[in-house]
Amino acid sequence: MASNDIIKRVTRPASRRQFLIGAGTALAGMTLGAPAIAQSKELTIISNIGNAAQREVLQRIASAYEQESGVKVAINNMDHEAHKTAIRSYLVVGAPDICFWFSGNRMKAFVKRELFDDISDLFERENYKSVLGPAAGAVTVDGKQYGLPLGGLLWGLFYRKDVFEQKGWTPPKTMEELLSLGEKAKSAGMIPVSMGTKEMWPAAGWFDHMNLRINGLDKHMALMDGQMSYTDPAMLPVFDKWADLINAGLFSPNGTSFGWEQAAAALAQKKAAMMDLAGFIKYGFPEDQQDQIAFTPFPEIVQGMARYEDFALNSIHVPKNAKNKENARDFLAFLYKPDNLSAFLETESAVPPRNDCPPSKDPLVNAAVESLKTVEGSAQYYDRDTDPDMAQEGLKGFQEFMAKPERRDQILERLEATRKRIFKA
């Protein structure tokens, strides 16, 4: 059966988080890397995939595994939002053999409670570290792996190829080049960087980029983990340089009044030069213009700083209380073969975490895969990396800062008070 016989285009997701759910697969002719001896055991999976077409493809994966292994697979598909609550109960009582979740801090919360199984043995057996690169860190806690990263979103700057070619512009590689491009864009009657912060989270992406470029991954994650103060002197250059960009008129005026889709539409309509987002920016473009979208990494700020990026990944896990852990590992190995994983992610245009997957039909995915080859390490995204309550306050603070940068000190003091309360620092 050819891949196009079983891959169906899913309907457009409604939010940033839904772009990370993933769907689709082609499994014909695939065999297990280390198939288990046929058993009468039943493998149970809880999925949080909400789209009907996605659920169908997951069932095809299960059917292919059943045929190869002789193990019956039962899938319980849950509403995506309801699953966020249910998982806190079923991991304790009535755990499945496999479940879908999020990597990074959200995974770590269950690891600390000893509710996800250590699958470092599977990583070793399949040599996953050699093909995952920085993505392995998203499922690693204290040197051990507790899941497999699935499709992801690589964040960076996007622009229209035709506009840059027409005006003779080149993507900025430094802050100085970004400011220079901003002046050229304004002279052309365009917004340099389209930014809508009505949903708040787009401003957090800009903060992540600035902090990773100035302070690096270790300090960024220390902040995310509550181990570093928001009033630490290292935070000042992040907000000072960010304020320079705001005061230079780099961003959309009145950005708090509209969301990311309207901001993406401004880029599509040639009213803006660039935008900081991930590959789902294409949904702000007419389909016949999506081939004009190009990607470039966020500019360097501190010369010589290793390149760290936000690469937000969903993940799949074996619960600690699962009854059939060996077949669960075999199923994951089957799903994670390059051809299978690539097809699984194709319909969502998600970026594969492993670097040996076949090329995507989506050029933005291929651009992200190539860009990831030069990334030294990755974070997830602000509201995935830190405590949810801390994230909510942070998002408010970053949105406020973009509108009123002169409130920097008050905002940071407020965030620090929240950090101390949440992390009991």
Side-chain angles (χ1 to χ4, degrees):
M1 183 183 296
S3 61
N4 59 2
D5 292 329
I6 66 172
I7 295 176
K8 295 185 178 181
R9 175 61 56 183
V10 297
T11 55
R12 174 185 167 185
S15 72
R16 169 177 65 110
R17 289 175 178 82
Q18 286 174 296
F19 284 96
L20 287 164
I21 297 172
T25 192
L27 299 168
M30 297 298 173
T31 58
L32 292 172
I37 298 173
Q39 301 175 50
S40 60
K41 292 181 179 179
E42 181 177 81
L43 188 71
T44 57
I45 300 174
I46 290 184
S47 158
N48 63 352
I49 298 174
N51 182 278
Q54 293 176 309
R55 293 196 296 269
E56 181 181 346
V57 217
L58 181 61
Q59 185 59 58
R60 293 183 185 274
I61 299 172
S63 297
Y65 177 77
E66 285 180 348
Q67 185 175 2
E68 293 291 345
S69 68
V71 176
K72 178 67 176 176
V73 180
I75 300 173
N76 177 19
N77 293 293
M78 299 189 66
D79 173 78
H80 185 66
E81 293 302 316
H83 180 254
K84 293 179 181 178
T85 300
I87 191 172
R88 289 163 172 79
S89 299
Y90 74 62
L91 287 179
V92 178
V93 179
D97 298 308
I98 291 173
C99 67
F100 288 76
W101 190 237
F102 307 100
S103 59
N105 186 71
R106 295 188 186 184
M107 179 199 76
K108 194 181 300 182
F110 290 131
V111 171
K112 288 181 178 179
R113 293 170 59 190
E114 298 185 349
L115 294 174
F116 280 156
D117 205 35
D118 175 4
I119 61 167
S120 302
D121 57 322
L122 178 62
F123 264 70
E124 183 70 22
R125 186 181 90 191
E126 301 293 333
N127 197 25
Y128 286 146
K129 288 184 180 179
S130 68
V131 294
L132 283 175
V139 292
T140 300
V141 178
D142 296 331
K144 298 178 181 179
Q145 289 73 48
Y146 292 88
L148 287 175
L150 294 175
L153 299 173
L154 179 64
W155 297 77
L157 295 180
F158 291 83
Y159 61 96
R160 287 191 65 121
K161 289 184 284 188
D162 52 356
V163 169
F164 272 54
E165 289 170 3
Q166 177 189 352
K167 299 187 179 299
W169 296 344
T170 56
K173 294 183 178 180
T174 65
M175 278 289 108
E176 291 73 21
E177 291 179 7
L178 178 61
L179 286 167
S180 176
L181 178 63
E183 292 304 313
K184 294 174 183 176
K186 286 189 288 184
S187 296
M190 300 173 70
I191 298 165
V193 177
S194 192
M195 176 78 82
T197 63
K198 187 175 182 179
E199 301 105 340
M200 295 194 294
W201 56 260
W206 200 270
F207 168 77
D208 283 357
H209 280 313
M210 298 286 290
N211 199 34
L212 288 167
R213 291 293 186 268
I214 292 173
N215 287 317
L217 184 61
D218 288 347
K219 284 187 178 179
H220 180 74
M221 294 312 300
L223 186 74
M224 298 299 97
D225 290 338
Q227 299 170 2
M228 182 175 175
S229 169
Y230 278 85
T231 55
D232 189 288
M235 288 291 101
L236 297 182
V238 175
F239 286 88
D240 286 347
K241 288 189 179 295
W242 196 357
D244 289 343
L245 301 179
I246 296 169
N247 294 329
L250 203 73
F251 303 102
S252 305
N254 304 315
T256 58
S257 63
F258 55 89
W260 77 264
E261 289 183 284
Q262 290 167 287
L267 183 66
Q269 296 162 9
K270 304 182 182 180
K271 295 178 181 178
M274 305 189 79
M275 187 173 178
D276 182 28
L277 210 67
F280 61 87
I281 193 172
K282 70 180 185 181
Y283 293 106
F285 280 66
E287 191 170 349
D288 62 354
Q289 296 181 34
Q290 291 178 1
D291 61 349
Q292 291 299 328
I293 309 172
F295 168 86
T296 191
F298 194 86
E300 180 185 72
I301 300 179
V302 174
Q303 188 174 9
M305 173 66 71
R307 187 176 158 218
Y308 305 111
E309 301 290 6
D310 271 342
F311 184 36
L313 291 154
N314 277 346
S315 47
I316 189 167
H317 306 269
V318 177
K320 184 75 171 180
N321 294 327
K323 296 178 180 178
N324 198 359
K325 295 182 180 181
E326 189 54 44
N327 282 123
R329 283 162 168 75
D330 286 340
F331 179 86
L332 293 182
F334 179 65
L335 169 65
Y336 224 61
K337 284 180 172 292
D339 286 343
N340 285 358
L341 183 63
S342 178
F344 180 77
L345 303 174
E346 184 67 32
T347 57
E348 280 289 306
S349 294
V351 180
R354 58 185 300 164
N355 60 25
D356 57 350
C357 286
S360 170
K361 297 176 183 176
D362 187 336
L364 290 180
V365 170
N366 294 330
V369 170
E370 285 303 309
S371 187
L372 279 168
K373 292 178 181 179
T374 60
V375 171
E376 293 295 323
S378 62
Q380 294 286 304
Y381 197 87
Y382 184 84
D383 60 359
R384 279 174 163 247
D385 280 327
T386 196
D387 178 273
D389 291 336
M390 183 72 246
Q392 186 63 21
E393 289 303 312
L395 297 182
K396 291 178 183 177
F398 302 146
Q399 181 198 52
E400 180 182 352
F401 180 77
M402 292 204 72
K404 300 286 184 180
E406 66 274 12
R407 296 181 185 171
R408 182 200 69 184
D409 291 346
Q410 298 97 307
I411 292 169
L412 291 178
E413 287 170 5
R414 191 170 70 236
L415 293 183
E416 175 57 13
T418 302
R419 182 192 74 91
K420 287 181 177 179
R421 173 176 59 82
I422 290 174
F423 294 100
K424 297 178 174 56

